[in-house]
Amino acid sequence: MRGALDWARDHGVERDGERVGPAPATEEPVLVFFGDAGHIAPLLVGTHHETVQEPRCLAVDDPLRETLRGDRPSSMRSAIMAVADGAADAVVSAGSTGALMALSRHLLGMLPGVRRPAVVKTLAGEQREFRMLDLGANIGTQPVHLHQFARMGQVAATTVDQLTEPTVALLNIGSEVNKGPAEVRAAARLVDADERLRYVGFVEPDRLFRAGADIVVADGFAGNIALKSAEGAARMARFMLERELADPSPRFALAKALVGRRLRRVQQAYNPQLYNGAVLLGLAGVVVKSHGGADRDGFRSAVAQAHRALDSGLIGKLAAGI
């Protein structure tokens, strides 16, 4: 994310605690924080950053129409505007998904030919990582939308993950071709007939993490429920493991010392922060949604998602491939 110096001089920007001066000829990539500079600065002492003073957060009860018109300024809107103006390369936000999507569509616009945007996230599977979309941007999608999600997921997998022939599956309540809603069955026919896609059929929720598909496509409602159910199950598993590891008995302490490294690996496997960050595909810019409860490691993961999208040229390749 490049420096926002020219744009920032008109928006009350501080850099490493100092007012911004003239932009140097060459500029190192920096993070630009939008919010209350008084709260942000003490947390970033000794780091290379810029701060845009915009203390107002987008409230959950802010009317969407006023938010889109700009009647109610917010740090989220200012951050997205920086990308729209070319002052920043990407935006990462832990705010409301709905507001982030609506403001991004309004200020950045959609890529030509894209019917609906989709939230895509990389998840850990038994065999390998996979991408899943949509995770909540759309409810009540049509077969053509699910087909296009598969195409966008394929472009993301080949561009960012550098997979040569990524496989595509559709989330459904059964693996048989006659199972599930009519929209999902119709989407399966479209995806199967598309020679650009390597379709491997339906995947049931209980096999989501062991199906072996590189891309799993779902309606936003089903995808969001599947994701949050998995996150809840992972938190429960991690809680149970941590509770067992807290056993103070000498015998267990010895056993834990012998297999401690393996136990820590298992514990980390249930850490959702390692996979935090979901890209909003279909927008004419890089926008990453971070979980609202992300910790430092989680937010770092979300920023890394934005960097990978930028470094791979994802937006241009999506525009060419849809």
Side-chain angles (χ1 to χ4, degrees):
M1 286 156 246
R2 63 172 173 267
L5 301 187
D6 293 330
W7 180 88
R9 276 191 291 271
D10 299 326
H11 291 75
V13 175
E14 292 186 357
R15 181 178 201 181
D16 302 341
E18 303 290 336
R19 289 289 299 184
V20 170
T26 59
E27 193 60 36
E28 292 287 332
V30 296
L31 290 175
V32 184
F33 292 85
F34 290 76
D36 190 333
H39 289 157
I40 295 172
L43 302 174
L44 300 171
V45 173
T47 67
H48 185 48
H49 69 278
E50 297 170 11
T51 305
V52 175
Q53 174 66 8
E54 182 52 80
R56 187 180 185 278
C57 292
L58 193 66
V60 293
D61 57 351
D62 280 352
L64 183 58
R65 181 176 298 178
E66 295 181 14
T67 300
L68 294 178
R69 284 202 311 252
D71 295 342
R72 298 194 179 216
S74 65
S75 54
M76 182 187 289
R77 183 185 179 90
S78 295
I80 298 170
M81 275 302 302
V83 178
D85 291 344
D89 295 302
V91 62
V92 179
S93 173
S96 161
T97 303
L100 182 64
M101 180 64 78
L103 278 170
S104 297
R105 290 188 69 170
H106 181 66
L107 298 174
L108 300 178
M110 300 284 291
L111 291 174
V114 175
R115 297 170 181 245
R116 296 271 188 97
V119 177
V120 61
K121 184 179 177 70
T122 300
L123 301 170
E126 284 188 11
Q127 300 178 33
R128 57 184 177 272
E129 293 181 346
F130 66 96
R131 288 179 175 268
M132 187 170 175
L133 70 163
D134 174 34
L135 296 177
N138 305 277
I139 296 177
T141 46
Q142 299 301 311
V144 291
H145 302 140
L146 295 175
H147 177 211
Q148 190 167 79
F149 294 167
R151 288 285 298 125
M152 290 198 294
Q154 182 212 41
V155 173
T158 56
T159 299
V160 181
D161 304 327
Q162 298 183 336
L163 301 180
T164 52
E165 291 186 338
T167 53
V168 179
L170 285 169
L171 186 67
N172 201 355
I173 60 172
S175 58
E176 301 88 346
V177 294
N178 61 342
K179 282 289 186 75
E183 292 81 6
V184 176
R185 299 198 307 272
R189 292 191 290 271
L190 291 174
V191 174
D192 192 28
D194 190 337
E195 295 181 354
R196 299 166 296 182
L197 299 173
R198 189 180 168 195
Y199 179 57
V200 295
F202 295 139
V203 57
E204 298 181 64
D206 65 332
R207 295 188 60 83
L208 181 61
F209 294 92
R210 62 186 309 182
D214 299 303
I215 302 152
V216 177
V217 176
D219 169 75
F221 181 79
N224 190 271
I225 288 179
L227 174 66
K228 289 180 177 176
S229 297
E231 288 175 344
R235 280 195 296 270
M236 184 61 188
R238 197 173 189 208
F239 164 76
M240 295 176 66
L241 180 61
E242 289 173 347
R243 185 176 61 184
E244 294 301 321
L245 293 178
D247 187 337
S249 65
R251 282 191 307 174
F252 186 77
L254 176 61
K256 189 165 64 172
L258 292 174
V259 295
R261 184 176 298 177
R262 292 187 179 185
L263 287 174
R264 284 191 293 273
R265 283 204 300 265
V266 173
Q267 193 176 29
Q268 281 299 91
Y270 290 111
N271 184 1
Q273 302 293 348
L274 299 178
Y275 292 89
N276 181 53
V279 179
L280 276 55
L281 285 185
L283 298 169
V286 175
V287 180
V288 175
K289 172 66 175 72
S290 168
H291 196 288
D295 60 15
R296 180 175 60 182
D297 290 334
F299 214 83
R300 178 174 58 189
S301 173
V303 173
Q305 295 273 0
H307 272 285
R308 284 194 289 271
L310 291 170
D311 291 343
S312 63
L314 176 60
I315 301 302
K317 291 176 181 177
L318 276 171
I322 300 299

